[in-house]
């Protein structure tokens, strides 16, 4: 899980990141690859951790070297070199669980190893990159909140301007109220008059339609009469050609035809009189058409004025709808702003509480620092005395070291001489042992010979 959550980065990327993001310019120049590989240097890693703690928690590097004056501790000046390491260790054990590192030990500061230090540095690098991303997201949200507040202000201004415009359009000035009331009365009278005129015009048009139908019927009848006359003329011509035997019958037929002609003439005269009447009615209709055209022009003018009024009313409605929409948007924005204000209030409360705590801690630290500085003077005096004693002891220890080295040299010489003597003695003893063995063998042989010469 640790390998999957915290991938170990290469050494070059770790160096570049800590040079650019954590260390200062001078420290970044001195931070080299040899400080990490093959054996990490404790001083360089301790400075990296201190700068990282200063970057995250504003805990300065000078604060790690301050010794708390305790009554139970004897000679606290001897612990000044250890306090920085212990302080860094305590802060790192509190911080590294955030980076998914749970096995940080004191040996990682005093005698760090390559793989462990690279793992810890890559975990801190991962945490810092994540922190940077979240800071960018938070800054974007703050920018959006500011933009929404600005939009809210602009919307409120536009709504106020729209309300003023609506008030101006809806309210008639007192100078023109009398004229407006007169115009409304005249418009109502004209509307009533136009209604009556429209009714009369519709009646006249209905009459004209009826007259046109009657004229069409009469014209059809005239056409039929003309056709009958033509047929009669043709019959007369045929009869004239056929007149041979009975003139009396022809006379009767002629008289009948004459009577028919008289009847036709009388009907034609009636039709002419009716046509004259129709022409008079048509002239009257033309006069009424002119009157209706004049009235129509007046109606068009009134329609234009009414359309203008409708346009103004439509604009008023459009503005009201826009105002309602903007009010809805404003309500939503107000809700969002209230939520943001609540969140900001909570954040501000937390920040105020944290500031109060920090202020108290600062005051306590300042009081503590004052007490420490008051005691530091005595400590420095004692430290100087102890330093003088340490110098004396160091001088004596150097003398003892010189004596010990000289004794070691003499001991080495004596051991070499004794070794040489031992080697010579051991060689001589080996030779004696060989001679003794040879002598014993020779004595055994002699005894065997003597036993052979002297039997029992």
């Amino acid at each position: 899980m640790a390998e999957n959550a915290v991938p170990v980065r290469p050494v070059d990327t770790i160096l570049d990141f800590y040079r650019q993001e954590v260390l200062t310019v001078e420290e970044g120049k001195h931070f080299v690859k040899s400080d990490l590989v093959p054996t990490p240097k404790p001083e360089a890693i301790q400075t990296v951790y201190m700068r990282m703690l200063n970057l995250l928690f504003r805990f300065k590097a000078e604060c790690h070297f301050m010794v708390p004056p305790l009554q139970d501790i004897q000679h606290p000046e001897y612990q000044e070199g250890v306090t920085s390491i212990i302080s860094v260790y305590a802060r790192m054990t509190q911080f590294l669980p955030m980076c998914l590192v749970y096995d940080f030990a004191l040996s990682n500061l005093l005698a760090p190893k390559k793989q462990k230090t690279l793992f810890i540095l890559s975990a801190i690098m991962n945490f810092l990159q994540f922190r940077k991303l979240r800071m960018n997201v938070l800054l974007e949200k703050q920018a959006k909140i500011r933009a929404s507040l600005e939009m809210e202000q602009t919307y409120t201004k536009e709504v106020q301007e729209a309300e003023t415009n609506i008030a101006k359009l809806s309210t008639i000035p007192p100078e023109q109220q009398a004229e407006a009331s007169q115009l409304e009365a005249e418009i109502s009278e004209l509307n009533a008059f136009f209604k009556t005129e429209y009714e009369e015009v519709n009646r006249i048009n209905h009459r004209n339609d009826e007259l046109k139908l009657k004229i069409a019927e009469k014209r059809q009848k005239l056409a039929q009469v003309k056709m009958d006359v033509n047929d009669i003329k043709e019959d007369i011509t045929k009869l004239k050609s056929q007149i041979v035997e009975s003139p009396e019958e022809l006379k009767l037929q002629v008289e009948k035809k004459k009577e028919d002609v008289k009847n036709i003439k009388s009907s034609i005269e009636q039709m002419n009189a009716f046509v004259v009447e129709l022409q008079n009615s048509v002239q009257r209709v033309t006069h009424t058409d002119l009157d209706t055209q004049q009235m129509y022009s007046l109606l068009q003018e009134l329609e234009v004025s009414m359309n203008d009024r409708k346009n103004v009313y439509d604009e008023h409605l459009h503005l009201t709808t826009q105002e309602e929409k903007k009010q809805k948007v404003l309500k939503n924005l107000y809700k969002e702003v209230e939520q943001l204000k609540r969140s900001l209030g909570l954040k501000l409360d937390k920040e105020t509480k944290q500031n109060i705590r920090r202020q108290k801690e600062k005051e306590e630290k300042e009081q503590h620092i004052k007490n420490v500085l008051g005691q530091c003077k005595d400590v420095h005096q004692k430290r100087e005395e102890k330093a003088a004693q340490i110098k004396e002891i160091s001088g004596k220890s150097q003398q003892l070291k010189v004596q010990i080295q000289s004794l070691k040299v003499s001991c080495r010489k004596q051991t070499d001489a004794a070794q040489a003597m031992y080697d010579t003695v051991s060689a001589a003893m080996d030779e004696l042992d060989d001679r003794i063995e040879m002598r014993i063998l020779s004595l055994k042989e002699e005894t065997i010979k003597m036993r052979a010469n002297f039997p029992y």
Side-chain angles (χ1 to χ4, degrees), residues 231-263:
D231 292 332
I232 289 164
K233 286 180 179 179
E234 289 178 356
D235 291 333
I236 290 165
T237 54
K238 287 179 181 179
L239 289 169
K240 284 180 179 180
S241 62
Q242 290 178 2
I243 293 169
V244 178
E245 293 178 356
S246 59
E248 292 179 356
E249 291 179 357
L250 289 171
K251 286 180 181 180
L252 291 170
Q253 290 177 358
V254 169
E255 287 177 356
K256 287 180 182 179
K257 296 293 183 183
K258 285 179 180 180
E259 288 177 358
D260 294 327
V261 169
K262 286 179 181 180
N263 292 321

Side-chain angles (χ1 to χ4, degrees), residues 310-345:
K310 284 181 181 179
N311 290 322
V312 172
Y313 183 71
D314 292 331
E315 288 178 357
H316 178 70
L317 290 173
H318 184 66
L319 289 170
T320 52
T321 53
Q322 285 183 353
E323 184 182 1
E324 289 176 355
K325 289 179 182 178
K326 287 181 179 179
Q327 284 179 356
K328 289 180 181 178
V329 173
L330 277 172
K331 285 180 181 178
N332 294 322
L333 289 171
Y334 278 126
K335 289 179 182 178
E336 291 178 358
V337 168
E338 286 178 356
Q339 291 177 359
L340 292 170
K341 284 180 179 178
R342 288 175 184 173
S343 62
L344 285 171

Side-chain angles (χ1 to χ4, degrees), residues 132-367:
K132 190 175 180 181
L133 290 171
R134 299 311 299 170
M135 289 289 287
N136 291 324
V137 172
L138 195 142
L139 291 171
E140 288 178 357
K141 287 183 179 179
Q142 287 180 354
K144 288 180 181 179
I145 289 163
R146 289 175 184 171
S148 64
L149 290 172
E150 290 177 356
M151 288 292 289
E152 181 186 0
Q153 291 176 358
T154 54
Y155 280 135
T156 51
K157 287 180 181 178
E158 288 179 357
V159 167
Q160 288 176 359
E161 290 177 356
E163 286 177 353
T164 53
N165 291 321
I166 289 163
K168 287 179 182 179
L169 290 169
S170 60
T171 57
I172 297 167
E175 297 176 355
Q176 297 179 357
Q177 285 181 357
E179 293 180 358
S181 62
Q182 288 178 1
L183 288 170
E184 287 179 355
E186 289 177 357
I187 287 164
S188 61
E189 290 177 357
L190 286 170
N191 287 322
F193 179 72
F194 284 133
K195 285 180 181 179
T196 55
E197 291 294 329
Y198 274 124
E199 290 175 356
E200 290 179 358
V201 169
N202 289 322
R203 289 173 185 174
I204 291 164
N205 288 322
H206 185 67
R207 289 178 183 177
N208 288 324
D209 293 329
E210 290 178 354
L211 291 171
K212 285 179 181 178
L213 290 170
K214 288 180 181 180
I215 289 164
E217 290 176 357
K218 295 292 183 182
R219 284 179 181 175
Q220 288 178 0
K221 288 179 180 179
L222 284 171
Q224 288 178 359
V225 169
K226 287 179 180 179
M227 291 293 290
D228 292 332
V229 169
N230 290 320
D231 292 332
I232 289 164
K233 286 180 179 179
E234 289 178 356
D235 291 333
I236 290 165
T237 54
K238 287 179 181 179
L239 289 169
K240 284 180 179 180
S241 62
Q242 290 178 2
I243 293 169
V244 178
E245 293 178 356
S246 59
E248 292 179 356
E249 291 179 357
L250 289 171
K251 286 180 181 180
L252 291 170
Q253 290 177 358
V254 169
E255 287 177 356
K256 287 180 182 179
K257 296 293 183 183
K258 285 179 180 180
E259 288 177 358
D260 294 327
V261 169
K262 286 179 181 180
N263 292 321
I264 290 164
K265 285 181 180 179
S266 63
S267 64
I268 289 165
E269 287 177 356
Q270 289 177 0
M271 288 295 293
N272 289 321
F274 183 72
V275 167
V276 171
E277 289 178 358
L278 288 172
Q279 287 177 355
N280 292 321
S281 64
V282 167
Q283 288 178 359
R284 289 175 185 174
V285 168
T286 53
H287 289 298
T288 54
D289 288 328
L290 292 171
D291 293 330
T292 53
Q293 286 178 0
Q294 290 177 358
M295 295 298 288
Y296 185 70
S297 63
L298 291 170
L299 287 169
Q300 285 179 351
E301 291 176 356
L302 285 169
E303 283 178 353
V304 170
S305 63
M306 291 295 286
N307 288 321
D308 294 331
R309 192 180 178 97
K310 284 181 181 179
N311 290 322
V312 172
Y313 183 71
D314 292 331
E315 288 178 357
H316 178 70
L317 290 173
H318 184 66
L319 289 170
T320 52
T321 53
Q322 285 183 353
E323 184 182 1
E324 289 176 355
K325 289 179 182 178
K326 287 181 179 179
Q327 284 179 356
K328 289 180 181 178
V329 173
L330 277 172
K331 285 180 181 178
N332 294 322
L333 289 171
Y334 278 126
K335 289 179 182 178
E336 291 178 358
V337 168
E338 286 178 356
Q339 291 177 359
L340 292 170
K341 284 180 179 178
R342 288 175 184 173
S343 62
L344 285 171
L346 294 171
K347 288 181 182 178
L348 289 171
D349 291 331
K350 289 180 182 178
E351 287 180 356
T352 51
K353 289 178 182 178
Q354 288 177 0
N355 290 322
I356 290 164
R357 290 177 184 173
R358 287 174 184 171
Q359 190 68 28
K360 289 181 180 178
E361 289 177 357
K362 282 183 181 179
E363 290 176 356
E364 291 176 357
K365 285 180 181 178
E366 287 176 356
Q367 188 67 32

